[in-house]
């Protein structure tokens, strides 16, 4: 999906109670600042394994002195400057969700949760399970142990936790009740599962019965 489509989607969220969170793949301060200027309420970032990585994302999202984000009062997030605004008072602090997707990240969860500006430790079950099964350093952890450790680390530092939930047979299908942020399936998964359910409800057809 191109940025032009994303900009239109963020525009549609403006008068709703939904918080639009945009997922990015790398530390790109220019892109993250642009997304927040367009009206994103927060950013979700992939594969955060260390304190330093989490801190770098915070700096890219925040204005000085906490970060390096460029200041512009004429963007959509500040109503194009049609109204007088004190950017320090009127600007909501953007939400930062960091994805915990490796055993290394699990072991560093306490340090990551310590970063001022990190709000949510969000578990990526597919990547985490793959890393536990095939990673060079799995540290002998089990998936339930990883979830317990991430939840504990977040709680110790007043942060929230989240996870992606998919089908009942996939990683992340069962989740501890302590996780507050739940992403449910994906648009492709919902379409696929719905069509499969519809097909199962259609009685089998005999092609020969259509012949005259």
């Amino acid at each position: 999906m191109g940025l032009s489509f994303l900009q239109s989607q963020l525009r549609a969220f403006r008068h709703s109670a939904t918080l639009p969170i945009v997922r990015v793949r790398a530390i790109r301060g220019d892109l993250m600042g642009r997304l927040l200027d367009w009206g994103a309420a927060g950013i979700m970032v992939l594969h955060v394994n260390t304190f330093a990585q989490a801190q770098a994302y915070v700096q890219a999202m925040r204005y000085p002195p906490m970060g390096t984000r460029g200041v512009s009062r004429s963007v959509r997030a500040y109503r194009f400057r049609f109204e007088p605004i004190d950017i320090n008072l009127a600007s909501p602090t953007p939400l930062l969700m960091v994805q915990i997707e490796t055993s290394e990240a699990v072991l560093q969860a306490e340090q990551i949760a310590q970063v001022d500006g990190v709000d949510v430790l969000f578990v990526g079950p597919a990547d985490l399970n793959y890393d536990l099964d095939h990673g060079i350093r799995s540290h002998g952890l089990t998936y339930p142990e990883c979830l317990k450790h991430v939840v504990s680390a977040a709680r110790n530092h007043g942060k929230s936790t989240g996870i992606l939930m998919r089908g009942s047979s996939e990683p992340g299908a069962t989740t501890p009740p302590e996780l507050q942020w739940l992403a449910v399936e994906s648009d492709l998964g919902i379409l696929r599962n719905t069509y499969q359910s519809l097909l199962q409800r259609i009685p089998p057809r005999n092609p020969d019965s259509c012949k005259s």
Side-chain angles (χ1 to χ4, degrees):
M1 179 182 295
L3 290 179
S4 59
F5 289 98
L6 182 57
Q7 192 172 12
S8 298
Q9 289 183 331
L10 290 173
R11 193 180 299 119
F13 279 111
R14 181 175 180 182
H15 297 294
S16 77
T18 302
L19 295 178
I21 307 297
V22 181
R23 189 167 176 250
V24 301
R25 296 181 178 275
I27 303 173
R28 282 188 52 193
D30 59 333
L31 174 60
M32 294 169 71
R34 192 185 319 167
L35 294 172
L36 295 172
D37 287 344
W38 286 350
I43 302 290
M44 176 184 282
V45 293
L46 284 71
H47 293 293
V48 177
N49 294 317
T50 66
F51 177 96
Q53 289 176 338
Q55 198 169 48
Y57 279 112
V58 171
Q59 291 173 349
M61 293 174 59
R62 298 292 186 89
Y63 296 118
M66 192 173 181
T68 58
R69 180 181 169 190
V71 176
S72 174
R73 292 176 175 83
S74 59
V75 295
R76 192 170 67 81
Y78 299 106
R79 298 186 287 279
F80 301 106
R81 209 170 185 172
F82 277 106
E83 301 175 21
I85 271 190
D86 183 336
I87 203 167
N88 297 313
L89 298 178
S91 164
T93 301
L95 190 74
L96 176 58
M97 297 181 169
V98 297
Q99 289 200 247
I100 306 298
E101 301 179 280
T102 65
S103 57
E104 178 187 1
V106 171
L107 295 177
Q108 294 294 317
E110 284 280 351
Q111 287 69 34
I112 293 171
Q114 286 179 17
V115 176
D116 185 12
V118 168
D119 299 290
V120 182
L121 272 60
F122 196 95
V123 176
D127 281 305
L128 179 54
N129 272 281
Y130 187 89
D131 185 71
L132 293 174
D133 291 339
H134 305 287
I136 298 175
R137 294 183 295 274
S138 65
H139 304 284
L141 295 169
T142 66
Y143 181 69
E145 288 172 341
C146 289
L147 290 183
K148 183 177 179 180
H149 185 77
V150 172
V151 168
S152 176
R155 185 190 299 117
N156 290 343
H157 298 281
K159 307 298 174 70
S160 301
T161 47
I163 197 168
L164 171 63
M165 297 177 62
R166 290 191 181 275
S168 60
S169 63
E170 297 187 29
T174 57
T175 62
E178 298 91 341
L179 277 74
Q180 298 93 343
W181 294 80
L182 301 179
V184 182
E185 264 292 354
S186 64
D187 50 359
L188 177 61
I190 292 170
L191 284 170
R192 181 190 63 241
N193 295 340
T194 301
Y195 275 114
Q196 287 177 333
S197 176
L198 288 171
L199 288 173
Q200 290 173 359
R201 289 157 52 187
I202 298 174
R205 295 292 191 269
N206 182 2
D208 293 335
S209 64
C210 299
K211 298 178 181 179
S212 56

